[in-house]
Amino acid sequence: MDENHTLKNIRRIHRDTSLDLVLEYIRNAILDGTFPPGMQLKQSVIAKNLGVSQGPTREALIQLVGEGLVEIQSFHGMFVRRLGQKDIEEIYQLRLALESLAIKTALPTLKAPEQMQKLETLVAATIQAEEGGNYDQAVANDLAFHHFIVDFSGNQRLINFWESLLAQSRYILRQLYQVEREMFHENMAQNHLVILEGIRTQDVPAIQKILQEHMEYAMTRLLRLIQSQNSMPQLAQGQLR
């Protein structure tokens, strides 16, 4: 893949940019598809194009390995990670377990008017973003809805574990939104509204049931997407030169 084409959407940044900003640029390039799955990530080229030293670039790539977005291939370098069937299954199984537990402890607090208003605002913002074709924002709002519930569990270890899945969740949800926009939009919106009603009525079993259906739906669709992609002829992997 041509280097200039690959990096055309990344503006040059100042040389004293912190690690956090370099990390944000690379992470967003992966999440928005500028750096597609399988692309080799050469830290020297990325650093040069961003106008920074290789130090923060190397640290950012290592952190993205920890987030599950980048993988190290021995003797070959770092690549944007391709998430497979086992990855999808594990992510959604863990999210379901964590969010089902979180809702039990968060429920009494979430029913407060100010918390309900925040959740309703997130649902409305997600639908608005989808209708406007802004699927990156729709994914962000979708996950913010779930994050808000998890935060109110008050269980810091649970919150930390859930947040460790956040980057990969955003990565795979974006792929699903791109190919099944209308169907996924209708399912997501309906499920979030049912969750809101369960919070109002303090119905834990109802919320856990819809959470399970919500997660299983997304997981099934993603697995079908992966299978369809695997059945297509493989394109040459992108590479930064």
Side-chain angles (χ1 to χ4, degrees):
M1 180 176 290
D2 181 72
E3 172 187 315
N4 292 328
H5 174 73
T6 301
L7 295 170
K8 67 180 180 180
N9 293 322
I10 299 184
R11 62 180 176 82
R12 196 171 182 82
I13 56 180
H14 199 271
R15 290 186 181 278
D16 63 358
T17 301
S18 68
L19 167 62
D20 287 343
L21 282 178
V22 178
L23 178 63
E24 180 183 0
Y25 271 96
I26 301 173
R27 183 193 288 120
N28 286 341
I30 293 172
L31 293 175
D32 70 15
T34 302
F35 294 169
M39 168 173 278
Q40 185 173 12
L41 301 171
K42 293 184 177 180
Q43 66 185 37
S44 60
V45 177
I46 295 174
K48 179 180 178 181
N49 278 275
L50 294 179
V52 299
S53 67
Q54 291 191 42
T57 305
R58 183 185 308 109
E59 291 181 57
L61 289 170
I62 291 172
Q63 184 163 329
L64 290 169
V65 171
E67 292 183 12
L69 296 180
V70 172
E71 63 182 358
I72 300 174
Q73 296 182 13
S74 299
F75 308 110
H76 294 286
M78 293 186 177
F79 295 79
V80 178
R81 185 175 178 182
R82 294 182 184 275
L83 295 178
Q85 177 176 337
K86 192 170 187 295
D87 297 303
I88 302 298
E89 291 173 345
E90 289 179 352
I91 289 167
Y92 277 96
Q93 287 167 0
L94 283 171
R95 279 194 57 194
L96 176 59
L98 292 170
E99 292 183 34
S100 294
L101 177 59
I103 200 66
K104 289 182 179 179
T105 53
L107 202 56
T109 308
L110 287 173
K111 70 176 181 179
E114 60 269 28
Q115 313 310 341
M116 287 298 297
Q117 183 177 7
K118 176 64 175 178
L119 288 169
E120 290 167 355
T121 299
L122 284 170
V123 173
T126 304
I127 295 172
Q128 183 178 17
E130 289 173 334
E131 291 176 345
N134 188 346
Y135 295 102
D136 287 334
Q137 189 60 53
V139 168
N141 291 338
D142 182 348
L143 289 171
F145 177 90
H146 292 270
H147 200 174
F148 190 83
I149 293 173
V150 170
D151 275 344
F152 273 85
S153 71
N155 185 327
Q156 193 57 53
R157 287 179 174 80
L158 187 155
I159 295 168
N160 292 343
F161 203 168
W162 189 92
E163 288 178 344
S164 73
L165 302 171
L166 186 56
Q168 291 183 72
S169 295
R170 183 179 167 194
Y171 186 38
I172 58 181
L173 269 175
R174 187 182 182 279
Q175 295 180 54
L176 189 56
Y177 265 92
Q178 285 182 310
V179 297
E180 297 198 6
R181 294 172 181 175
E182 183 174 348
M183 186 180 298
F184 193 62
H185 156 66
E186 293 175 356
N187 180 274
M188 182 284 302
Q190 182 60 37
N191 285 346
H192 282 188
L193 291 172
V194 174
I195 291 172
L196 283 174
E197 184 58 30
I199 293 172
R200 288 192 186 94
T201 60
Q202 298 288 282
D203 191 341
V204 173
I207 299 174
Q208 291 177 331
K209 181 176 182 293
I210 198 64
L211 273 175
Q212 181 172 353
E213 293 173 354
H214 191 49
M215 298 293 179
E216 288 179 349
Y217 174 86
M219 183 175 69
T220 299
R221 293 292 177 179
L222 280 162
L223 292 176
R224 288 180 183 175
L225 175 61
I226 289 174
Q227 290 169 359
S228 67
Q229 290 175 338
N230 289 341
S231 66
M232 296 173 64
Q234 291 295 310
L235 300 177
Q237 291 184 353
Q239 184 177 21
L240 287 171
R241 295 183 175 84

